[in-house]
Structures are given as structure tokens and as C-alpha cells.
Amino acid sequence: CLHLDDLSKVLARSRKFDELVEAWRGWHSISPPMKPKYARYVELANIGAKEIGYDDVGALWKSSWDMSPADFEADVQRLWNDVKPLYDELHCYVRARLQKTYGKDKVPDHAPIPAQLLGNMWAQEWNNIYDLVVPYPKEPALDVDKKLVAGHWDSPRMVHQGERFFTALGFDPLPDTFWDRSMLTRPRDRDVVCHASAWDVSSAGDLRIKVCFQPTEEDLLVAHHELGHDFYYQRYFKLPILFQRGANDGFHEAIGDTMALSVTPDYLKSIGLLDAVPKGDHTRINQQMKMALDKVAFLPFGLILDKWRWDVFAGKVTPDQYNAAWWALKQQYQGVSAPVARTADDFDPGAKYHVAASSLYIVYFLAHIYQFQFHKALCQAAGYTGPLDQCSIHDNKQAGAKLMAMLGMGASKPWPDAMEAMGAGRKGDAGPLLEYFAPLRQWLADQNKGQQCGW
Ligand code: ASP
Ligand code: SER
Ligand code: ZN
């Protein structure tokens, strides 16, 4: 009986088709028993939402964005339409490369990609198959995992490194209690939720995280993500309790990720996690690919999880349709297909933490857009004028001051005001993300010439 940690490792590292199917199937066997309970939860939560004046829970969730629920949905769709052409190019290229590994019988032309082949249990981020799709394999590998293992980086050290990124910008260090009260590794003596999270337990500066990090680059980036939450708390915990929130919940998810965009190969080299990074177009495209497998691949998944829940809460999708509706969205937006035949008794959405835990998800979609806006604005504040993918705000006090001022507003102003205070405009804007990935997009378009893209 394997933990999600172990099964995720199989998804990340195995290149054997049947082994991947088995690990995927194993994890997805945990959720069918949750299905009736989920249906009951939807009923009960909707009663609660109605009692406080909303049509359903989806309407409640869509009403904290300083616009109407309908406008919010349209806004999210607008952003998706802007990034979809880039996603489609990435999908097309990755499918062609997977055909080389697994054969066209397993990965057919013009069809969705089998979901177990993308390196992640939910096919949400594809960075773990970088080695299969690397544009220029002869360039030095950008392999941080190897260095983390060789250097015996444990979880506390990874978190300390993340903290240093923030203090170098001018933030106060984390409180001593953080190191006593956080959970940084999976305990051996009890069952715990290992899905990473960050907390201000007292709403008064009792900052903590709860994580089970392994020495991987992915977890080093999650360390920055979680600390982004804690340093946001640090900036606003003295405000009145109603203002102790992100400008919107997408901001909260975007702060640590924005810092992680400055964890560039040069920065990694400076902390001993990469060997010399040669300059040049090939290395740059490799690095862009690595980033796109993480950030661009995620976009449709970030969108559909709550699309599914909005429809469920609104009664448009009934319990007997839960699983089919889920896969219809996965196919339509992500262009992935189920590894094995599914039935209405399966409950694949329940195999994702945020569904089981009733945690918002569209916030991650927005955060993936916002973080490039924030990155661009902070690079500008730092006086940087070069291309976005080469910018790091590491150690830059002007950028730090701009960021801290925005975080310190908490939820005291409408979120467009907070965005503007950072110099990032007044609305969600896919422009900076597209600008960041422009070199890769051109490269992908060349690679995909003559291919029949889409599914
Ligand atoms: N990093 C995790 C995820 O985004 C948890 C979090 O949001 O802090 O699901
Ligand atoms: N942390 C979120 C998740 O695990 C988004 O990346 O799904
Ligand atoms: Zn988060």
C-alpha cells in the first residue's frame, strides 16, 4: 500500500507505460467511496449558501472578486482565451515527443494525451517529463534535483533558503516559533495531511507551514510558494481582522510563485544548486521549456477544477454525471484522456486534494497569470529593462519595498487598487506571461510546422 508521495514518484520517474497506468489507477481507487459523501456535502453546503443569500456555493465562491459572478466567469474565460494558443503549441510539441518515447499506438495522432504520461498524478504540471521533451539535450542539464540529493539538502534547509530570498528583499525573518511549530517532514508515527499549506494560526503572527518536502526542485519552489503566504501574513497581521486577507485570494497564491520566478539558473548557481550555466539561445530555450512545463501546462487544469465545481454546485452536473463531466472538461481543455476506462462509480475529482478538502482552485489559475504581471512590475521597480525571463529581483531592496507596501494593504482596498500600487495595472492580464514565453512560443511554432496539432 503506497502513499501519494510514492505513487507520485512513479508518475514522475517511471517511463514504463503499464507501471504508470498502475500507479495512476492505484491512487484513483481511493476516491469512489467519497462520492456519496461528496454529493451530500454539496446539498448541505448549498443550503448554507442559500441561507446567507447566494444561489449556491459556486455563486458564493464567485462573489469575492469585486465584480458579479457572471462577470468573474467571463473574465476568467477571457484570460484562458488569451493563453490557449500558447498551451496548444506546447501540447502539440509534447505529444510529438511522447510519441517518440511510447509509440503512436500508445500516443495517437490528433488525440488527447493519455494522462498518466505527463509526469504528474493529475497531469497538472509536466515538469517531471522535462528529460523526454528537452529541446537541446546536448546542453548542460538544468538538473537541480541531483544537486539537492548530493548536497544532502533536507526540508529545513530548503525552507531556510526560501526564507533568505525574502529577507534579502528586506522582509523581517520568520518568528522563532515558526521553526518550533511548523511540520517540515512526514512524521513516522501518525497519519497526516501532507499537502503543503501555510498558516497564521492565531491571526496574530503565529506563522507556520505544514509540508513534507523531499529534496526536489519542485519542492524547493513549493517552499517559496508557502513562504509567500507566511510573508503576506507577516505584512498584514496587525491590520483589523477583516483586512487580514489577500487583496484577493489569487494574490495570496501568486506571491511566493512570483519570488520563485526570480529563482533563475544564475541564482541557483549562486547557491550551489547548478553548475556553470552557459549563456546562449539553446540554454535559454531549454530553461523556457522547463518553466512552460510547469506554468503553461498548468493553466487549463487550474481552470477546470472550479469549472467542474461551479457546475456541480449549480446542479448542472448531478452525481451520476460527476465523473463523465470531469473527463469531458479534462479532454476539452487539457487535451488529456483517462488512462483506463472510467465508469459513473469512479470519482476522479475526489482524488485531488482541493476537491476533498473543499479548497478554492481558480485562485491558482489567476495566480499563474498574476505572477507574471507582478514579476514584470517588480523587475521594473528594480530598474531592470531586459527580457522578463532573464530578470531576478533577488536581493533588490526597491523591488522588496514595492512588494511589501502592497502586501501591507491586505484586503483594505479593492484588489485592482493593490495591483495598481505595485505598478501591475488594474486587471488580470495575460500579456506579461505571453511576453515571458515569447521566445519559446516562436520555437514551438517552428517545431510544430507540418504537425496536425489539436485533438
Ligand atoms: N502549494 C499548495 C497548492 O497550491 C498549497 C497552497 O496553496 O499553499 O495546492
Ligand atoms: N498547489 C496547487 C496544487 O497542488 C497548485 O499548483 O494543485
Ligand atoms: Zn498556496
Side-chain angles (χ1 to χ4, degrees):
C1 185
L2 300 178
H3 274 300
L4 178 57
D5 319 8
D6 307 313
L7 292 167
S8 291
K9 235 176 251 175
V10 177
L11 265 289
R13 295 183 193 165
S14 171
R15 304 295 180 237
K16 292 185 187 139
F17 196 88
D18 294 336
E19 208 167 87
L20 291 164
V21 172
E22 231 10 72
W24 188 95
R25 195 214 299 267
W27 177 248
H28 286 79
S29 71
I30 58 135
S31 46
M34 293 164 43
K35 191 184 147 192
K37 293 172 194 289
Y38 195 82
R40 180 65 179 143
Y41 145 81
V42 169
E43 282 170 19
L44 291 171
N46 271 340
I47 294 169
K50 282 203 181 78
E51 275 178 4
I52 56 171
Y54 296 91
D55 289 344
D56 60 73
V57 173
L60 168 62
W61 285 1
K62 281 179 268 180
S63 62
S64 59
W65 300 91
D66 296 314
M67 58 180 99
S68 75
D71 286 349
F72 178 65
E73 264 198 84
D75 208 44
V76 165
Q77 197 67 38
R78 165 183 71 83
L79 293 168
W80 167 246
N81 291 341
D82 288 346
V83 294
K84 183 180 185 316
L86 174 60
Y87 179 77
D88 288 349
E89 294 279 12
L90 182 67
H91 181 282
C92 190
Y93 167 77
V94 165
R95 182 174 59 198
R97 295 298 286 253
L98 289 176
Q99 288 180 328
K100 294 215 166 84
T101 304
Y102 295 103
K104 282 199 183 190
D105 55 326
K106 299 277 200 286
V107 185
D109 282 331
H110 207 68
I113 301 171
Q116 78 278 22
L117 303 184
L118 292 158
N120 174 279
M121 188 59 81
W122 308 275
Q124 68 179 64
E125 285 124 5
W126 306 347
N127 39 301
N128 289 317
I129 59 158
Y130 173 72
D131 60 315
L132 299 184
V133 305
V134 53
Y136 297 103
K138 293 203 183 99
E139 294 290 305
L142 300 166
D143 189 347
V144 175
D145 292 9
K146 230 182 244 155
K147 290 266 175 196
L148 287 167
V149 173
H152 305 288
W153 283 65
D154 58 9
S155 182
R157 183 165 168 204
M158 288 161 65
V159 178
H160 274 292
Q161 190 62 52
E163 181 193 27
R164 270 200 283 284
F165 194 95
F166 286 86
T167 52
L169 290 174
F171 285 83
D172 296 333
L174 293 163
D176 291 342
T177 49
F178 173 92
W179 301 101
D180 299 334
R181 298 174 182 172
S182 289
M183 183 186 95
L184 300 184
T185 49
R186 185 188 276 283
R188 287 189 203 155
D189 57 345
R190 70 210 119 103
D191 207 12
V192 300
V193 173
C194 264
H195 192 94
S197 58
W199 308 80
D200 179 354
V201 174
S202 60
S203 298
D206 184 356
L207 311 180
R208 310 185 197 180
I209 61 174
K210 182 151 120 1
V211 301
C212 303
F213 289 151
Q214 309 266 350
T216 63
E217 180 175 29
E218 192 172 330
D219 279 353
L220 182 67
L221 298 178
V222 176
H224 288 76
H225 176 95
E226 300 309 332
L227 292 181
H229 291 303
D230 275 358
F231 282 101
Y232 212 155
Y233 303 140
Q234 184 200 72
R235 289 293 111 193
Y236 66 51
F237 81 81
K238 292 189 177 139
L239 296 183
I241 190 80
L242 289 174
F243 296 160
Q244 288 191 33
R245 269 189 93 151
N248 71 36
D249 292 341
F251 277 54
H252 233 298
E253 297 308 333
I255 301 309
D257 282 13
T258 303
M259 300 304 102
L261 290 179
S262 284
V263 176
T264 53
D266 284 336
Y267 172 76
L268 288 165
K269 180 169 169 273
S270 77
I271 59 172
L273 288 177
L274 274 182
D275 293 327
V277 188
K279 299 289 158 199
D281 291 350
H282 289 189
T283 304
R284 185 181 186 193
I285 293 295
N286 279 354
Q287 173 64 14
Q288 286 237 319
M289 178 62 72
K290 210 172 139 182
M291 293 300 291
L293 293 171
D294 186 355
K295 303 295 180 184
V296 178
F298 178 76
L299 292 163
F301 185 77
L303 177 69
I304 61 166
L305 198 147
D306 276 352
K307 261 185 168 312
W308 180 82
R309 283 193 294 201
W310 294 338
D311 285 349
V312 165
F313 286 125
K316 289 183 201 158
V317 167
T318 54
D320 55 310
Q321 301 162 341
Y322 278 174
N323 218 51
W326 174 251
W327 280 104
L329 287 168
K330 299 248 329 158
Q331 165 148 353
Q332 182 188 343
Y333 285 89
Q334 285 186 279
V336 303
S337 57
V340 287
R342 310 311 283 154
T343 73
D345 292 331
D346 288 310
F347 185 48
D348 296 326
K352 176 69 191 165
Y353 170 78
H354 302 70
V355 173
S358 196
S359 178
L360 298 179
Y361 212 79
I362 198 69
V363 294
Y364 299 109
F365 173 79
L366 291 167
H368 275 63
I369 305 282
Y370 293 167
Q371 63 191 255
F372 290 92
Q373 295 178 252
F374 294 170
H375 179 64
K376 180 171 182 173
L378 293 176
C379 290
Q380 273 165 359
Y384 177 86
T385 52
L388 282 185
D389 62 325
Q390 314 282 304
C391 167
S392 176
I393 60 160
H394 174 62
D395 210 14
N396 189 288
K397 302 292 184 287
Q398 288 100 304
K402 196 118 199 169
L403 174 62
M404 285 191 285
M406 190 279 274
L407 300 185
M409 295 167 73
S412 64
K413 292 270 165 36
W415 67 260
D417 293 359
M419 197 175 252
E420 195 167 36
M422 244 200 346
R426 293 188 60 83
K427 58 176 191 169
D429 177 7
L433 182 151
L434 296 172
E435 181 183 333
Y436 184 102
F437 286 111
L440 180 71
R441 187 172 181 177
Q442 183 57 53
W443 187 88
L444 286 171
D446 289 344
Q447 300 297 311
N448 291 336
K449 268 196 198 114
Q451 288 273 348
Q452 218 199 346
C453 292
W455 57 88

